[in-house]
Amino acid sequence: MMISTKRHVQQLASLFLSKKIFDIVLCPGSRNGPLIHTLAGCGQFDCRVIVDERSAGYFALGLAQAKENPVVIVCSSGTATINFAPAVAEAFYQNIPLIVVTADRPAYWIDQLENQCIQQTALYRNFIKQSCSLPLEESDCRLWSGARLINEILNTAVSDAPGPVHINIPLEEPLHRTMDAQLPDVKVIGNAQTRINLDEKALAAAAEEIGRADKILVLAGQSQGNGELDSSLALFAEKTGAVVAAEHLANLQIPSGCCCAVPELVLGSISSGDAAVFQPDLLITFGRHFVSKRIRQFLRANKPHEHIHVDAGGGHMDTYQALTRVCAMSPELFFGQLADMQIQKASGGYAGAWKDREQETLQIYKHYLDRAPFSDFTACAGALKAVPKDSVLHLGNSSSVRYAVLTPGIKEVTWLGNRGTSGIDGSVSTAVGYASCSSKINTLILGDLSFFYDSNGLWNKYLGKNLRIILLNNGGGNIFSFVEDLAGRTGEDNQAVFQNYFFAGHSAKAQGLASTFGLDYLQAGSASQLDRALEKLYNPGRIVPTLLEVFTDAQTNTKVFKGLFSESQLPLLNQRFRRGL
């Protein structure tokens, strides 16, 4: 095998193998030449090459989600390193273990007008679990120090709450000298993973809080989900009478009798007159972000008496300004332990109120959608119904994910989205990365600005035949028209500012990009056309990545979305509910 003569690079590659980290995303460059020579030349890694560093970072993020294992991203020095930053931030807030490796110039050239030199040490300091800069020298002592640093960094990436880490490697010329040799044996420092239970005192205290609460609300944030969590949470809810509110991105598979899958619809129907009925005595949260702004607003205005946050990393997430206890453990262990205890079950009135309201709102939702004109909302709902079971569904940010969380969930589908930072900049790349190593159909639903912004995510040779992209093209950033104090302004000048600088109107279409990057192309501009296109999109005989572009009218989209929450729809439930009290 041909590897670089740089010994720190050799050690890094050896430790990757020892810790079973095999997936590498390489960005072309010269300063990172020793890394490319070694990682690609030794023949033991699965290396992929992507030119655009921003896209490469998100591609690796999707790959790490699919593999459920750390993925390494490697780039040259200079601004290439900064282009990794958006994906690094997303990985940090989603607890995804990216191993970021950046080549660097020797420290003596930094800030000396040398080419491609920037300050790279601690570059991602606000969005990283740990970082280090390896020594330049290759003495035995420096090699020992470098190996210890690498061990520590790689262990940190997967410990407690996983997350991204950064290894910066200064490299001197010559950069492209190679040798026919094996990677060196390097001492591996292990990292024992522990599963922590609540001690008897903490368990008793948590059980006491639960026992005296008549209204228990469990909020399940974004997570990949797992069977152990499903079982323990379902048992806990059944035993305590708790309401579990979970958006689709929580990936829960528990009985619908104890889970509210459309909390945004329920909360959209609540007024100040009946808020106390839905206000919890005890709130238990786990997972990452919620899409719904209404949930945050409701619980901040109607605070629970006690709030327990369950987080393996011990994070003090006081999202609702009511935090009273943090349990540093996995949610499956937390709910499993408590479900085994003798806890007095709540009266059932709270769960009944949620379930009744959910059923009523779903009826109104279905009736409203059946009558609504063709729009992004109806197109998204139609697409979600067509998505095959046992597939993967990626949601773009802004409007797309908001439409999706209002739509009753599809069982046996994995839901994903870049909700750690909620940016529009990497949705395509992340989905492509995930789909590239998935055997399932992978569907990405997103808006036009998100798609065109990240169209470089299609500029690689890893587009799987299982990739399906549904692009909602309304000619701009329709999400901004949902903001009342922005789009609701009147006057010619205000409307001009909105159209030009917020909505960012355009006439671009995606057919040319689909052709350029080798995707099959479909389009639809009405409900009947969409139905026919979806049949083609999900035809079992389709074995090519495909883009379906759906054209809608922005003004109609705004009216349809706002109409669901207008006086003629969900708020009517407030009147019915109050009459029934």
Side-chain angles (χ1 to χ4, degrees):
M1 64 175 67
M2 299 302 294
I3 61 175
S4 171
T5 58
K6 304 294 186 184
R7 297 177 69 189
H8 286 293
V9 172
Q10 294 173 11
Q11 288 195 146
L12 177 64
S14 180
L15 286 169
F16 282 159
L17 291 175
S18 296
K19 294 181 180 292
K20 302 186 184 307
I21 300 171
F22 302 112
D23 291 288
I24 315 287
V25 177
L26 300 170
C27 298
S30 182
R31 186 60 49 171
N32 59 340
L35 289 155
I36 294 175
H37 286 306
T38 302
L39 296 170
C42 75
Q44 299 182 68
F45 294 99
D46 190 351
C47 293
R48 300 161 176 85
V49 58
I50 294 182
V51 175
D52 182 331
E53 285 88 5
R54 182 177 57 81
S55 179
Y58 280 108
F59 180 98
L61 187 145
L63 196 62
Q65 287 178 310
K67 294 271 189 171
E68 297 185 2
N69 206 52
V71 171
V72 180
I73 49 176
V74 179
C75 72
S76 189
S77 62
T79 57
T81 63
I82 299 175
N83 285 325
F84 277 162
V88 172
E90 181 65 31
F92 181 74
Y93 287 109
Q94 276 205 63
N95 298 124
I96 296 173
L98 287 187
I99 313 297
V100 184
V101 180
T102 56
D104 200 358
R105 305 285 170 134
Y108 52 75
W109 282 128
I110 306 301
D111 294 336
Q112 295 302 308
L113 303 183
E114 175 64 12
N115 188 41
Q116 285 190 329
C117 280
I118 66 170
Q119 293 284 353
Q120 292 181 201
T121 57
L123 179 64
Y124 315 106
R125 58 186 174 274
N126 293 324
F127 314 110
I128 212 85
K129 289 193 69 178
Q130 190 173 349
S131 64
C132 74
S133 193
L134 295 182
L136 182 65
E137 300 83 0
E138 294 185 343
S139 65
D140 287 345
C141 188
R142 292 296 190 180
L143 287 167
W144 162 80
S145 176
R148 186 199 63 75
L149 283 170
I150 295 168
N151 268 289
E152 181 180 353
I153 286 284
L154 297 183
N155 288 343
T156 299
V158 296
S159 63
D160 298 326
V165 294
H166 176 209
I167 301 172
N168 190 57
I169 307 181
L171 295 163
E172 285 185 310
E173 295 182 357
L175 300 170
H176 301 285
R177 287 183 181 172
T178 59
M179 55 192 291
D180 188 359
Q182 299 292 316
L183 292 173
D185 290 329
V186 183
K187 181 178 70 173
V188 178
I189 302 173
N191 185 39
Q193 297 295 304
T194 58
R195 291 167 63 87
I196 302 173
N197 289 321
L198 288 173
D199 60 35
E200 290 185 9
K201 184 177 180 181
L203 186 62
E208 182 184 352
E209 289 180 11
I210 293 167
R212 65 172 176 257
D214 189 52
K215 299 186 295 182
I216 304 171
L217 177 63
V218 178
L219 286 187
Q222 182 177 10
S223 70
Q224 288 191 294
N226 62 72
E228 185 180 353
L229 174 59
D230 291 340
S231 299
S232 61
L233 182 55
L235 183 59
F236 173 83
E238 180 183 356
K239 191 167 186 177
T240 62
V243 174
V244 179
E247 293 175 335
H248 310 327
L249 290 169
N251 286 298
L252 291 184
Q253 299 289 337
I254 64 175
S256 58
C258 60
C259 182
C260 175
V262 282
E264 177 78 344
L265 283 178
V266 172
L267 291 170
S269 74
I270 296 174
S271 70
S272 57
D274 57 11
V277 175
F278 295 91
Q279 178 183 16
D281 300 328
L282 171 64
L283 173 67
I284 303 175
T285 57
F286 68 92
R288 307 308 296 172
H289 295 74
F290 254 82
V291 176
S292 173
K293 186 177 181 179
R294 283 186 173 85
I295 289 176
R296 295 190 295 276
Q297 291 175 330
F298 176 78
L299 289 173
R300 287 170 185 168
N302 303 275
K303 291 181 173 57
H305 302 305
E306 294 172 303
H307 173 197
I308 300 173
H309 182 63
V310 184
D311 180 76
H316 287 52
M317 307 304 179
D318 196 9
T319 310
Y320 310 102
Q321 302 172 319
L323 187 65
T324 54
R325 184 184 300 273
V326 173
C327 291
M329 61 190 304
S330 70
E332 52 265 35
L333 281 177
F334 175 82
F335 291 111
Q337 272 193 277
L338 288 168
D340 289 338
M341 295 192 69
Q342 294 296 324
I343 301 174
Q344 182 178 351
K345 187 171 183 176
S347 64
Y350 188 61
W354 272 85
K355 185 50 60 181
D356 290 346
R357 182 61 65 93
E358 182 182 28
Q359 292 304 315
E360 289 181 300
T361 55
L362 285 175
Q363 289 176 13
I364 287 179
Y365 166 86
K366 184 179 183 303
H367 179 67
Y368 180 76
L369 211 62
D370 287 343
R371 296 183 297 108
F374 185 69
S375 61
D376 279 354
F377 199 169
T378 60
C380 186
L384 291 175
K385 289 180 182 178
V387 168
K389 289 185 177 181
D390 194 31
S391 66
V392 181
L393 182 57
H394 306 263
L395 298 172
N397 283 310
S398 295
S399 301
S400 304
V401 71
R402 288 168 171 81
Y403 292 136
V405 299
L406 287 169
T407 304
I410 306 165
K411 296 293 185 181
E412 301 174 41
V413 168
T414 298
W415 298 77
L416 297 168
N418 288 345
R419 295 301 297 176
T421 56
S422 303
I424 69 167
D425 44 354
S427 298
V428 176
S429 299
T430 304
V432 169
Y434 193 107
S436 71
C437 64
S438 171
S439 60
K440 300 179 179 181
I441 292 294
N442 277 245
T443 301
L444 168 64
I445 302 177
L446 79 171
D448 43 37
L449 296 191
S450 298
F451 174 80
F452 291 119
Y453 191 108
D454 193 31
S455 58
N456 264 7
L458 303 174
W459 182 29
N460 59 68
K461 55 186 177 182
Y462 310 109
L463 300 182
K465 62 184 180 181
N466 59 340
L467 181 65
R468 306 288 182 264
I469 299 175
I470 299 175
L471 165 59
L472 304 175
N473 191 340
N474 49 55
N478 212 162
I479 185 67
F480 294 111
S481 65
F482 300 167
V483 182
E484 292 291 347
D485 60 349
L486 175 61
R489 294 173 182 267
T490 58
E492 187 175 331
D493 291 342
N494 283 330
Q495 284 301 309
V497 169
F498 172 76
Q499 289 292 328
N500 288 324
Y501 301 107
F502 291 96
F503 184 72
H506 66 86
S507 58
K509 299 180 180 180
Q511 186 171 7
L513 285 171
S515 175
T516 296
F517 295 123
L519 284 81
D520 200 2
Y521 178 80
L522 303 169
Q523 63 177 315
S526 67
S528 59
Q529 290 177 2
L530 178 62
D531 289 341
R532 292 192 293 270
L534 288 170
E535 287 183 11
K536 294 179 182 179
L537 186 69
Y538 293 117
N539 187 308
R542 180 169 291 276
I543 54 171
V544 60
T546 304
L547 187 150
L548 166 58
E549 188 168 18
V550 183
F551 296 98
T552 63
D553 176 72
Q555 290 185 344
T556 302
N557 293 336
T558 302
K559 291 177 181 177
V560 170
F561 181 80
K562 289 184 176 181
L564 180 61
F565 298 97
S566 71
E567 292 182 2
S568 61
Q569 299 300 327
L570 291 181
L572 283 176
L573 286 176
N574 296 321
Q575 299 173 23
R576 298 182 197 167
F577 188 81
R578 285 197 296 274
R579 285 198 298 268
L581 289 177

